Amino acid sequence: MSVHKLTAGSGYDYLTRQVAALDATEKGHTGLASYYTERGESPGAWIGSGLDGIDGLAAGDPVTAEQMRALFGCGLHPLAELRLQQLEGPDLTDQDFQNVARLGAPFRIVDNDLRPFRVEVARRIAALNTAIGWPADASIAAADRARMRTQAREFFVAEHGREPVDARELAGQIAKDSRPRTQTVAGYDLTFSPVKSVSALWAVADPAVAAVIERAHKDAVKDALAFIETHALFTRTGPHGIRQVNVRGLVAAAFTHRDSRAGDPDLHTHVAVANKVQTLDGRWLSIDGRVVFKANVAASETYNTALEQHLRDSLGVRFAERPGTDPAKRPIREIIGVTHD
């Protein structure tokens, strides 16, 4: 399992471009609705014990573009748009509209991060892409991007009135200028991927066996999420978040995909966990993300162990350690009988 932050506002593009658009980045911005129609992928589904506190949604309900935009884009109730349309009455107040749309405090969104350094780097990247016949906003190699940032030393001189003392000082300034402004964390993308032998067996098996493997994978994801809800899901209250308190459970959208960016079989699930949790007294606050990241390894091991158990119980397969190419890393446990080739 891997963990990545999702930011509010423009960070929502991550969900539509990579997670919900089949992990593809070369397509540019793709509407979330395209996810449901391209290449036969199944719709995302809502998951998590925290859904008990959200009127109108239940675990297993399909995810819609409007719901994702409201929750992950703005920090509102997933059904905010529908609830606002249904609100009626002659004496409605602004507070009435806020009550049906809000899920705690909306996300703070920073728009138009147009610092001169970032604008100049973007201009140079666009010029390079245009010169070679690519779209202006196409992604470029990391080495080319780093070279362009280093060439922009004139911004250091403009800010400090002198040349940098050494390469380290220049690199520090470039790193500072390259960072986007701090954004509110909208959620966390937890990605669950089985070992390669499981994906390979799933890909070549007959449909009935493949369905059993996929069910075992989804059950293992649920086991890992249950571990997180029990041991790693909290919020903080009080001055400067001094007090850590329990919450009712997570609210998440799960997307199961079936191939990698390279196009080979890769059964995996993205669980986009909203940065909204409900305290036992009913308040909606943000997740204590530090605990989630600290629990990454434990949750990952919970998934791996649960997957092995589900597959042993349902198919009778056995796992054994298989040394990797890096002797410094721990051997990976793969299915016995599924060769490296």
Side-chain angles (χ1 to χ4, degrees):
M1 185 194 85
S2 63
V3 184
H4 300 284
K5 289 182 181 179
L6 301 171
T7 56
S10 61
Y12 173 64
D13 288 348
Y14 176 79
L15 291 170
T16 59
R17 290 180 59 192
Q18 293 188 352
V19 177
L22 313 177
D23 298 331
T25 55
E26 71 278 3
K27 298 178 182 179
H29 182 82
T30 303
L32 184 62
S34 300
Y35 166 73
Y36 301 117
T37 59
E38 293 184 35
R39 295 165 60 180
E41 290 287 359
S42 58
W46 290 106
I47 191 172
S49 301
L51 288 168
D52 291 343
I54 298 183
D55 295 335
L57 277 185
D61 287 350
V63 180
T64 69
E66 293 76 18
Q67 294 166 359
M68 294 287 281
R69 182 168 58 247
L71 182 56
F72 289 94
C74 303
L76 299 175
H77 191 290
L79 302 177
E81 186 174 330
L82 176 62
R83 288 160 67 91
L84 288 172
Q85 292 173 355
Q86 294 175 340
L87 196 62
E88 56 184 23
D91 301 319
L92 293 176
T93 65
D94 290 342
Q95 189 63 47
D96 293 326
F97 286 96
Q98 290 184 9
N99 289 340
V100 299
R102 286 198 173 190
L103 202 67
F107 293 146
R108 177 177 176 270
I109 300 171
V110 179
D111 291 325
N112 300 323
D113 188 9
L114 300 180
R115 282 176 288 181
F117 179 83
R118 291 171 64 84
V119 172
E120 176 63 16
V121 171
R123 185 192 65 77
R124 295 183 183 190
I125 290 174
L128 173 63
N129 284 332
T130 301
I132 60 178
W134 286 6
D137 61 348
S139 178
I140 66 172
D144 290 333
R145 186 180 294 273
R147 175 172 53 81
M148 289 184 178
R149 287 173 174 165
T150 304
Q151 288 174 347
R153 64 187 301 132
E154 62 265 26
F155 285 94
F156 183 97
V157 176
E159 180 173 342
H160 299 278
R162 61 174 175 82
E163 290 287 330
V165 174
D166 52 23
R168 180 177 180 179
E169 185 179 35
L170 176 61
Q173 182 71 30
I174 291 172
K176 186 186 77 171
D177 290 340
S178 298
R179 295 191 198 103
R181 293 177 184 173
T182 301
Q183 290 277 22
T184 300
V185 176
Y188 302 89
D189 176 17
L190 313 183
T191 305
F192 296 90
S193 302
V195 293
K196 196 63 180 180
S197 59
V198 173
S199 287
L201 180 60
W202 164 82
V204 301
D206 63 73
V209 174
V212 172
I213 295 174
E214 187 167 342
R215 185 164 59 250
H217 162 71
K218 291 183 177 180
D219 288 343
V221 170
K222 291 181 180 179
D223 292 338
L225 293 179
F227 170 85
I228 291 173
E229 288 189 322
T230 303
H231 300 287
L233 197 66
F234 303 94
T235 189
R236 305 197 74 89
T237 62
H240 306 292
I242 192 172
R243 181 171 171 238
Q244 186 183 71
V245 299
N246 291 322
V247 297
R248 298 185 186 278
L250 58 83
V251 176
F255 300 88
T256 297
H257 296 161
R258 295 165 178 79
D259 58 11
S260 68
R261 296 178 186 178
D264 47 319
D266 182 22
L267 179 66
H268 63 285
T269 296
H270 292 279
V271 180
V273 178
N275 194 15
K276 293 283 185 179
V277 284
Q278 191 177 31
T279 61
L280 301 184
D281 60 4
R283 291 176 295 162
W284 285 96
L285 301 174
S286 58
I287 294 173
D288 186 353
R290 295 172 298 177
V291 186
V292 174
F293 279 98
K294 287 181 179 179
N296 185 8
V297 174
S300 181
E301 290 300 317
T302 299
Y303 165 78
N304 292 335
T305 303
L307 180 62
E308 284 194 24
Q309 179 179 344
H310 291 314
L311 289 175
R312 283 199 306 267
D313 294 344
S314 58
L315 292 178
V317 296
R318 294 292 183 268
F319 287 76
E321 292 185 353
R322 185 176 301 177
T325 56
D326 186 350
K329 292 184 178 180
R330 190 180 66 177
I332 298 173
R333 292 176 59 83
E334 302 278 8
I335 296 176
I336 297 173
V338 178
T339 67
H340 178 77
D341 293 338

